[in-house]
Amino acid sequence: MITKKISQLVAGVSLMVLSLNVNAQTEQSTKDWIRQKIEKYGGTEATYKPQSKGATESSIKYKTFYYGGDTVKIQETRVLTGGKNITNVYTFKISDLTDVSNMSGSNDVYDFKTYKNKVILRQINSKTNEPQSPYYIDHVRTKIWFVSGTEFTKEDNIEQRLLKALKFMAGINNAKPKTENKEAF
């Protein structure tokens, strides 16, 4: 009788542990989910009209792409009130993120932080449409504005769910040992 109860208890605990492991997110499954959502919603160009009366832009256009591996590319074109365009292209790897937050009062403006100088910023020359020399920075604040045809086809809370997934990746990245080039003596 006692042996039967112990084996039932062990089986129950094993089943509970197994069910917890099935639902746990992995690094790869999270990267895959982020990729799927960016591919589904991010590639459509979205135009944002600044609400501030003092804004220097008449509109800002965003496009988000997912490249091979875990690289995200965000193109941000600011159309200034005088008619001039400034286009910035930010490229970073999800595996380099160390912190992600969203700007207070906004669901879709993200503040991405990486290890030292892991974000590549390239400005596009408005006359030649060619990328200028890249800058390497460790921080960028931009939008990933999810649009698929119309805003009404979006999944509920997609921006907050993306933020949660990116924060999960930043937590994994922070837990990994840092391999710095050690100075030889």
Side-chain angles (χ1 to χ4, degrees), residues 42-55:
T44 304
E45 185 173 82
T47 302
Y48 168 72
K49 302 270 185 201
Q51 302 300 314
S52 169
K53 291 182 181 180

Side-chain angles (χ1 to χ4, degrees), residues 13 28 56 62 83 111 115 119 136-137 153 175:
V13 169
Q28 189 58 50
T56 58
Y62 296 94
D111 195 7
Y115 294 118
V119 177
Y136 297 90
I137 54 178
T153 61

Side-chain angles (χ1 to χ4, degrees), residues 17-150:
V17 170
L18 179 62
S19 68
L20 288 176
N21 286 338
V22 169
N23 293 329
Q25 295 297 320
T26 66
E27 180 176 357
Q28 189 58 50
S29 67
T30 303
K31 284 181 185 179
D32 291 343
W33 184 88
I34 293 168
R35 178 187 48 79
Q36 289 169 356
K37 298 308 173 189
I38 289 176
E39 286 175 349
K40 183 175 182 179
Y41 297 114
T44 304
E45 185 173 82
T47 302
Y48 168 72
K49 302 270 185 201
Q51 302 300 314
S52 169
K53 291 182 181 180
T56 58
E57 300 96 359
S58 59
S59 66
I60 307 171
K61 297 178 183 180
Y62 296 94
K63 273 189 175 182
T64 305
F65 307 94
Y66 199 94
Y67 277 24
D70 66 349
T71 302
V72 175
K73 186 174 187 178
I74 301 170
Q75 182 173 320
E76 174 185 277
T77 302
R78 295 178 176 274
V79 180
L80 303 179
T81 52
K84 183 179 175 184
N85 290 355
I86 297 175
T87 301
N88 294 322
V89 178
Y90 306 104
T91 307
F92 60 89
K93 291 186 177 203
I94 292 173
S95 56
D96 289 334
L97 291 174
T98 56
D99 188 34
V100 181
S101 59
N102 62 331
M103 195 170 85
S104 62
S106 174
N107 282 337
D108 56 0
V109 176
Y110 299 104
D111 195 7
F112 299 102
K113 293 182 182 169
T114 65
Y115 294 118
K116 297 179 191 173
N117 299 324
K118 294 288 187 172
V119 177
I120 301 169
L121 163 60
R122 293 188 94 144
Q123 288 191 332
I124 306 294
N125 185 316
S126 59
K127 293 179 184 172
T128 64
N129 213 23
E130 294 293 319
Q132 297 176 349
S133 298
Y135 298 91
Y136 297 90
I137 54 178
D138 65 357
H139 163 255
V140 64
R141 178 177 289 157
T142 189
K143 277 184 181 277
I144 294 183
W145 194 341
F146 286 121
V147 177
S148 179
T150 67

